[in-house]
Amino acid sequence: MMIRVSDISLPLDYNEQMLKKAAAKKLNISTSDIVSVSLYKRSIDARKKHQIHFQATVDVSLSINESVSAARCRSASAVKEYKYEMPRSKRLDKRPVIAGSGPCGLFAGLILACAGQRPIIIERGRDVDSRTSDVERFHRTGILDTASNVQFGEGGAGTFSDGKLNTGTKDARIRKVLLEFAENGAPQEILYLAKPHIGTDMLKTTVKNLRNKIISYGGEVMFETKLTGIRSAEGKLTAVEIERYGYKLELETDNLVLAVGHSARDTFEMLNQSGICMEQKPFAMGVRIEHLQSMINRSQYGDLYKSPYLPSADYKLAVHTAGGRGVYTFCMCPGGEVVAAASEEGRLVTNGMSEFARDKINSNSALLVGITTSDFGSEDVLAGVRLQRKLEEQAFQLGGGNYCAPVQRVCDFMNKQASVNAGSIIPSYRPGYNFTSLDRCLPAFMTDSLREGILLMDNRLDGFSYGDAILTAVESRSSSPVRITRDKTMQSVSMRGLYPCGEGAGYAGGIMSAAVDGIKAAEKILEFSNI
Ligand SMILES: Cc1cc2nc3c(=O)[nH]c(=O)nc-3n(C[C@H](O)[C@H](O)[C@H](O)COP(=O)(O)OP(=O)(O)OC[C@H]3O[C@@H](n4cnc5c(N)ncnc54)[C@H](O)[C@@H]3O)c2cc1C
């Protein structure tokens, strides 16, 4: 048995011996009583800039009676090893189908495959290696492949990302997701860091290994295969229509995990026309803001900003304007780049990504304004999509009509004047950019909120409103503008056997919550197989 000891403070340059010593001190025992020690959680405490240190929880195995030692210390408890419990199930008559190979679809597929249900995953985009070439070509030349891009393809929207794995969701299945990622190629540190991340470079391998695991358990993955229709009888799903290499086919199935992500606008239209209940959903839009990473490090770490023991610093800021509108940063990518994330012709979208090392010169983050359904300007369920498209088209035109992005320096944006060139910060967006005024592509309620938000955020993070910081438009796909209504069984209220899941259906907001939602849907399918 092991015991877990929390509340351990460690200097930035600690080593294993110091870790043992600190744990022994907490337990009031000798270091020699400790056989082994491993990190369970580690975070950075940077509240006092002159005393930045790590805060850790460790698992120790002792050569003396562990229960006695644990009893002596209030910060110690017995370690309960996490084990994922697969629900019992009967073999389904027909193979379950999963639309989408993002984190939601992949994890639903993994659970169903491991349960012996031989799921079929259909993915409109291409496998991760082909997709990497497609994305690189787009970023180099501005030639977009609408089927294979930063939104569509193996691994889903998060493959070309920072791969941040933190989430507000408190669900025991998070451990399952982290363990699967770590087993399949992600860095082992994700198992103990308070703010874990994988990075685009390592995500690609991880996603591929997860696919191979699903296949090794009897699952099947079909790329370049799009869900184009659903068939039902008496309110129950009976088959899905798919399009593969230009041919339409039908797959009979009783279960479809709909994990198509927030950019599957044609699929939303198909579902709406098929009478599947959907609702408008508030979301957020804005711009990417880019600073020098060294400036963020200095603001967060003070004089220690060059310490080799500290990672590239991040931030998370949220404020309310005087008018009550929320403005917040999202998906901050330390040492990363702003990416062209479009998936439709003539529409421009930004996002951010980093490699595992997070060692690029700039940091970037989404700077978003809350959009309520009353901003949509219509009761139509897809009005949010129309608003997104409108801003994406305006950004495309303002950038020059070739996927170059409109950009502006913060000083000019605050003064409502067009930028003509960069200052000390060079925009990282590829394939290129045009200096302009973002007021020309964003509505006034957004630009006014952004201006107010930037000033308020500067009170929280020194230098946030730095004049040379770069704004790139438009960040329009931070979350889904629709919710596909489901009940407690996770099935659509309109059709039994249809499981709307993940970010696109409005039930997740990042890699971890989408993966957990996929696991839950798979569990429901397994549970119902017993009835
Ligand atoms: C550039 C970028 C960076 C990001 N960074 C982070 C981050 O660091 N951390 C984080 O937590 N989140 C991040 N996100 C958000 C995260 O990627 C999403 O929340 C997550 O991927 C949602 O998972 P999902 O499985 O629900 O949908 P998605 O990942 O969007 O996957 C949906 C999949 O379905 C496929 N599909 C769509 N329609 C169909 C159809 N009709 N038939 C078949 N297949 C279809 C798509 O091609 C896609 O592969 C980032 C997103 C982007 C775009």
Side-chain angles (χ1 to χ4, degrees):
M1 196 172 106
M2 298 261 250
I3 56 175
R4 185 158 292 159
V5 191
S6 58
D7 250 343
I8 293 184
S9 296
L10 294 163
L12 294 180
D13 60 348
Y14 77 93
N15 56 30
E16 195 176 328
Q17 196 50 30
M18 289 155 95
L19 197 60
K20 270 190 180 172
K21 214 169 152 185
K25 193 171 167 207
K26 271 269 164 197
L27 290 168
N28 203 12
I29 57 173
S30 154
T31 311
S32 59
D33 295 332
I34 296 184
V35 179
S36 68
V37 60
S38 59
L39 281 167
Y40 175 71
K41 255 296 145 305
R42 196 189 73 190
S43 57
I44 298 165
D45 187 342
R47 283 171 298 177
K48 293 183 184 154
K49 300 276 178 280
H50 56 288
Q51 276 177 10
I52 298 178
H53 62 276
F54 292 118
Q55 201 62 27
T57 298
V58 296
D59 288 344
V60 290
S61 124
L62 307 178
S63 58
I64 55 170
N65 188 331
E66 286 165 342
S67 54
V68 174
S69 322
R72 280 191 218 147
C73 168
R74 272 191 295 146
S75 316
S77 58
V79 173
K80 286 193 204 101
E81 278 299 337
Y82 171 81
K83 189 167 178 298
Y84 177 71
E85 295 292 343
M86 177 75 79
R88 285 165 183 262
S89 61
K90 289 202 187 114
R91 181 74 171 252
L92 294 162
D93 292 340
K94 293 173 194 144
R95 296 172 75 176
V97 175
I98 297 161
S101 73
C104 182
L106 272 181
F107 274 85
L110 186 68
I111 299 299
L112 289 169
C114 292
Q117 300 292 0
R118 301 169 63 239
I120 301 172
I121 301 183
I122 55 170
E123 166 55 58
R124 76 195 296 163
R126 302 174 77 192
D127 66 274
V128 75
D129 290 332
S130 316
R131 185 184 180 198
T132 300
S133 312
D134 298 333
V135 169
E136 275 169 8
R137 190 183 55 245
F138 178 47
H139 290 170
R140 214 177 44 248
T141 63
I143 299 168
L144 174 70
D145 183 333
T146 54
S148 178
N149 46 61
V150 169
Q151 308 292 346
F152 296 155
E154 184 175 18
T159 306
F160 296 85
S161 80
D162 177 55
K164 269 177 291 301
L165 302 180
N166 31 322
T167 169
T169 319
K170 292 206 184 336
D171 188 303
R173 295 172 188 85
I174 286 168
R175 192 73 189 159
K176 168 74 175 164
V177 178
L178 291 174
L179 287 167
E180 288 292 348
F181 277 141
E183 186 190 309
N184 288 288
Q188 298 302 303
E189 64 175 38
I190 64 166
L191 295 175
Y192 64 81
L193 289 186
K195 290 182 183 175
H197 85 110
I198 301 184
T200 296
D201 42 348
M202 296 183 96
L203 259 166
K204 289 178 196 162
T205 316
T206 311
V207 158
K208 208 187 310 183
N209 290 344
L210 279 170
R211 179 227 302 169
N212 288 332
K213 181 166 177 181
I214 291 168
I215 293 170
S216 74
Y217 277 89
E220 195 175 334
V221 184
M222 296 163 74
F223 295 112
E224 298 177 68
T225 306
K226 186 160 87 170
L227 174 77
T228 50
I230 43 176
R231 307 275 175 264
S232 66
E234 294 168 5
K236 282 190 191 157
L237 179 81
T238 54
V240 296
E241 182 195 85
I242 61 173
E243 196 177 291
R244 187 168 164 77
Y245 307 131
Y247 296 103
K248 292 253 187 198
L249 308 166
E250 275 198 14
L251 296 177
E252 281 190 22
T253 185
D254 298 325
N255 293 290
L256 170 65
V257 178
L258 188 72
V260 292
H262 56 34
S263 291
R265 293 164 169 175
D266 51 354
T267 313
F268 294 159
E269 275 164 30
M270 177 276 284
L271 294 166
N272 194 28
Q273 281 162 14
S274 308
I276 300 301
C277 181
M278 295 161 74
E279 305 156 39
Q280 292 187 340
K281 182 180 143 300
F283 64 110
M285 289 196 284
V287 294
R288 275 272 146 184
I289 184 162
E290 248 180 314
H291 298 93
L292 290 178
Q293 182 61 46
S294 55
M295 191 212 92
I296 302 297
N297 290 349
R298 201 187 291 242
S299 299
Q300 299 291 48
Y301 298 145
D303 291 344
L304 284 174
Y305 80 102
K306 283 187 177 167
S307 166
Y309 302 108
L310 288 170
S312 296
D314 64 2
Y315 60 80
K316 192 174 179 188
L317 304 165
V319 295
H320 276 95
T321 63
R325 210 177 267 276
V327 181
Y328 60 95
T329 65
F330 181 70
C331 190
M332 196 264 172
C333 298
E337 62 184 289
V338 177
V339 280
S343 60
E344 294 182 332
E345 293 286 356
R347 300 188 175 114
L348 191 142
V349 181
T350 60
N351 212 305
M353 64 174 245
S354 324
E355 308 252 282
F356 176 64
R358 287 180 164 172
D359 57 0
K360 297 253 163 62
I361 192 161
N362 290 354
S363 77
N364 70 77
S365 173
L367 178 60
L368 302 176
V369 178
I371 308 285
T372 64
T373 52
S374 57
D375 297 317
F376 291 7
S378 158
E379 298 284 301
D380 184 82
V381 73
L382 295 177
V385 172
R386 277 205 293 281
L387 181 60
Q388 285 176 313
R389 279 184 165 153
K390 185 176 161 198
L391 300 200
E392 291 170 12
E393 282 160 18
Q394 287 171 185
F396 180 79
Q397 291 304 334
L398 191 59
N402 51 3
Y403 293 104
C404 288
V407 297
Q408 192 173 15
R409 282 158 77 177
V410 163
C411 54
D412 295 327
F413 179 69
M414 301 308 278
N415 292 328
K416 296 191 183 182
Q417 66 187 31
S419 289
V420 287
N421 54 20
S424 53
I425 301 176
I426 307 299
S428 62
Y429 178 98
R430 291 179 293 149
Y433 44 83
N434 276 317
F435 281 96
T436 179
S437 164
L438 299 187
D439 284 275
R440 292 174 57 200
C441 72
L442 301 176
F445 81 84
M446 278 178 69
T447 47
D448 289 345
S449 302
L450 288 170
R451 275 186 268 272
E452 204 175 327
I454 287 171
L455 287 182
L456 291 169
M457 286 178 183
D458 194 69
N459 297 331
R460 312 256 175 99
L461 183 77
D462 196 24
F464 190 79
S465 69
Y466 179 53
D468 282 353
I470 297 287
L471 303 176
T472 310
V474 58
E475 181 94 6
S476 51
R477 311 264 186 101
S478 64
S479 56
S480 187
V482 295
R483 174 165 291 120
I484 308 176
T485 324
R486 69 187 190 192
D487 62 18
K488 278 189 194 151
T489 67
M490 295 182 72
Q491 293 170 88
S492 156
V493 293
S494 317
M495 194 182 286
R496 302 288 85 189
L498 176 65
Y499 292 80
C501 292
E503 181 148 36
Y507 298 99
I511 294 171
M512 295 304 286
S513 55
V516 166
D517 207 47
I519 295 178
K520 285 184 181 170
E523 289 173 355
K524 286 285 177 221
I525 293 173
L526 296 177
E527 259 176 49
F528 293 136
S529 71
N530 296 312
I531 295 169

